[in-house]
Amino acid sequence: MSGVDGGPGAAEDHVVLLDDAGAPLGVAPRATVHTRDTPLHLGFSCYLFRPDGRLLVTRRALSKRTWPGVWTNSFCGHPRRGEPLAQAVLRHGRHELGLDVATDGEPVLPSFRYRAVDAGGIVENEICPVLLASVDRDPAPNPDEVMDWRWVRPGDVEALVDLAPWAVSPWMVEQVPELRAAGWTAPGGAQPGVA
């Protein structure tokens, strides 16, 4: 998943390594972690909704190391050691989308976990809580992170995942059915697929 490249605090840019039970083991520089043998680490995924219930999907920049050019959820990232989840969401939302994303940090899928290998052999291996949040304006994406974006009906995302899972990120392919099974509701009560 994407993270913050360069910029202020880049020397601090690390991921939290986890044991199989999800307990922290330490940290490693983010730039060195995603390889063909990626250790289990902490991430997050966030799905952003407008007040009308539409969901923001983004297309990963072609320069991304993993899954370049695929459509995915609104944004993802990695919390730093000791960083509250809500603060990590705010930091990544600003960096990737130019949006202040406020959340109480309570994931709708708190224990989501996945492992996937991209076409180049790079592995994603994360415990990745999934959050829903609301925004009331369009993003101003960082082109190093996001090459395109759309506001869509969540029901259309569900259909896309069902019909063309190869066209979207593997984490979204696994998350969307779990969100559907949990009866996902956009913050503020808008029902996915209704707006």
Side-chain angles (χ1 to χ4, degrees), residues 19-153:
D19 68 17
D20 199 52
L25 290 173
V27 298
R30 188 184 59 81
T32 67
V33 169
H34 296 95
T35 66
R36 293 177 184 272
D37 190 29
T38 302
L40 182 64
H41 60 280
L42 182 61
F44 72 84
S45 288
C46 189
Y47 289 74
L48 297 178
F49 291 87
R50 287 192 316 206
D52 67 0
R54 296 259 173 169
L55 168 65
L56 179 67
V57 293
T58 60
R59 187 173 177 206
R60 292 169 60 83
L62 293 177
S63 59
K64 297 297 289 178
R65 186 170 182 194
T66 57
W67 287 277
V70 302
W71 286 92
T72 193
N73 59 293
S74 305
F75 68 102
C76 299
H78 301 95
R80 294 177 178 154
R81 178 177 31 204
E83 182 180 37
L85 189 54
Q87 183 62 37
V89 169
L90 181 63
R91 177 170 55 87
H92 282 275
R94 286 176 175 165
H95 174 75
E96 294 193 21
L97 298 173
L99 293 172
D100 286 335
V101 178
T103 176
D104 63 7
E106 293 301 318
V108 65
L109 299 177
S111 57
F112 178 78
R113 181 175 178 169
Y114 78 101
R115 185 179 186 282
V117 182
D118 82 352
I122 303 298
V123 174
E124 280 286 8
N125 186 16
E126 294 188 350
I127 292 178
C128 181
V130 179
L131 301 102
L132 307 180
S134 295
V135 294
D136 60 2
R137 66 183 183 91
D138 288 341
N142 177 340
D144 292 334
E145 301 287 346
V146 174
M147 66 181 292
D148 200 0
W149 57 274
R150 296 283 186 277
W151 290 107
V152 299
R153 292 182 305 151

Side-chain angles (χ1 to χ4, degrees), residues 148-167:
D148 200 0
W149 57 274
R150 296 283 186 277
W151 290 107
V152 299
R153 292 182 305 151
D156 291 341
V157 172
E158 293 175 1
L160 175 62
V161 165
D162 289 342
L163 296 172
W166 43 266

